[in-house]
Amino acid sequence: QEQLLQSGGGLVQPGGSLRLSCAASGFNFSLYTMSWYRQAPGKERELVAAISRTGGSTSYQDFVKGRFTISRDNAKSTVYLQMNSLEPEDTAVYYCKAVYSAWRNYWGQGTQVTVSS
């Protein structure tokens, strides 16, 4: 059974840091492009960052560039999102996504990140 199990969310103060993890099982992790998305209340789900199969290429949306880092460890079948300099606007449910093709992809269960004083 294909699964993406997320962890690392929580409450953090503005300027703080969190590291999200997404551990894959039931499929060949190394064949999948991995992405992080987020969705705030009343807003559409939006792409945050993506990383290629080998980890050799990464991409970020402008609103997190310079603050967030996506990485992966294929030996552990895990993708990470290191979030620094967090802002209240970063508050959202964060989801990881594994993509092999447009018709073969999997979503994590989501984890809440709240940035507040």
Side-chain angles (χ1 to χ4, degrees):
Q1 181 180 359
E2 301 88 356
Q3 290 188 86
L4 293 172
L5 300 180
Q6 300 180 222
S7 61
L11 175 65
V12 65
Q13 294 184 351
S17 298
L18 284 174
R19 191 190 195 199
L20 304 183
S21 297
C22 176
S25 61
F27 64 97
N28 192 340
F29 179 78
S30 65
L31 297 180
Y32 287 72
T33 296
M34 298 300 299
S35 302
W36 287 96
Y37 288 75
R38 70 185 187 186
Q39 187 168 25
K43 300 183 67 176
E44 295 183 354
R45 189 170 298 186
E46 62 184 356
L47 177 67
V48 175
I51 188 167
S52 62
R53 292 178 175 184
T54 64
S57 180
T58 59
S59 63
Y60 302 91
Q61 296 301 300
D62 287 344
F63 53 81
V64 303
K65 194 171 297 182
R67 300 188 297 121
F68 291 10
T69 302
I70 187 171
S71 62
R72 68 190 294 163
D73 185 341
N74 284 353
K76 296 181 178 179
S77 296
T78 301
V79 64
Y80 306 93
L81 185 66
Q82 178 66 47
M83 304 184 293
N84 300 325
S85 302
L86 284 162
E87 305 167 353
E89 294 75 22
D90 296 317
T91 296
V93 177
Y94 284 70
Y95 300 88
C96 64
K97 184 182 182 183
V99 178
Y100 183 85
S101 66
W103 55 91
R104 184 171 158 187
N105 56 86
Y106 312 109
W107 288 93
Q109 82 278 18
T111 187
Q112 178 70 47
V113 172
T114 302
V115 185
S116 176
S117 298

